[in-house]
Amino acid sequence: MSQAVRTKQTATLLQAIYKNVKMAGDSILTLMPKVKDSKLKNDLTVQLSVYEAYASRAAKLLAEEGAKPEEEGTVTKLASKWGSMMNTMIDSTSTHIAEMVVEGATMGVNDMLKQIRESENTPVSESAMRLARDVCDYEEKTIEEMKEYLRG
């Protein structure tokens, strides 16, 4: 297979990773002002820094492929932000915020697993696949950590 095909498929996977982690980071930023529990706020701050590091890695790998990172469209970002704001206006307890993080991370895991499956038998770079798996593993870990807040 040609280098151009490899580059295109690698860039496609990296764009999906970048969008995933940027959306996660944006969601956390939207939730932060509503968080009252200092431990949850600290956990979300750590998550935010990890997602930013993943976004940076994806952007660097995209640059190596000759591409620029693309974020979700404005409508998608606004819809997510609006949904989070409405959701926390109704209920801003730590339990509810943790539920929202679990739901978002679950969507992220599902998206990453789909992207990984679609990329497995293609000439995608190993570094892009490793990053996709790292993000997926981290989001699964996030789900487990947030379950602590669901137990009350």
Side-chain angles (χ1 to χ4, degrees):
M1 209 168 262
S2 76
Q3 179 63 30
V5 171
R6 178 185 179 276
T7 296
K8 183 179 184 326
Q9 291 175 330
T10 297
T12 298
L13 176 59
L14 290 168
Q15 290 292 3
I17 294 167
Y18 186 81
K19 286 180 178 182
N20 179 308
V21 297
K22 288 300 281 185
M23 188 66 117
D26 289 349
S27 296
I28 290 170
L29 284 171
T30 301
L31 292 173
M32 285 296 250
K34 302 288 187 170
V35 179
K36 294 165 187 71
D37 180 278
S38 60
K39 183 174 178 342
L40 178 57
K41 189 171 280 237
N42 185 56
D43 288 347
L44 293 177
T45 301
V46 169
Q47 287 177 25
L48 180 60
S49 68
V50 171
Y51 285 125
E52 287 173 346
Y54 283 137
S56 185
R57 278 175 60 190
K60 181 177 181 273
L61 291 171
L62 277 163
E64 290 172 9
E65 298 296 330
K68 290 185 177 178
E70 299 168 8
E71 293 196 31
E72 285 291 351
T74 305
V75 172
T76 303
K77 288 170 85 172
L78 284 174
S80 174
K81 186 173 185 149
W82 179 254
S84 292
M85 286 171 35
M86 293 304 291
N87 230 318
T88 54
M89 258 198 319
I90 296 165
D91 182 355
S92 63
T93 62
S94 294
T95 300
H96 186 66
I97 289 171
E99 277 175 24
M100 292 172 66
V101 173
V102 167
E103 287 171 14
T106 299
M107 287 171 36
V109 167
N110 291 341
D111 183 53
M112 279 295 91
L113 288 173
K114 179 180 170 218
Q115 295 296 329
I116 290 167
R117 258 192 306 283
E118 289 175 0
S119 301
E120 275 179 333
N121 296 313
T122 68
V124 168
S125 78
E126 185 51 43
S127 56
M129 274 301 252
R130 191 174 327 109
L131 181 56
R133 288 187 180 109
D134 288 351
V135 169
C136 192
D137 290 347
Y138 182 73
E139 289 186 317
E140 288 174 339
K141 181 179 166 244
T142 295
I143 292 166
E144 290 307 310
E145 286 176 357
M146 289 295 108
K147 285 180 181 177
E148 170 188 335
Y149 297 97
L150 302 180
R151 294 185 182 102

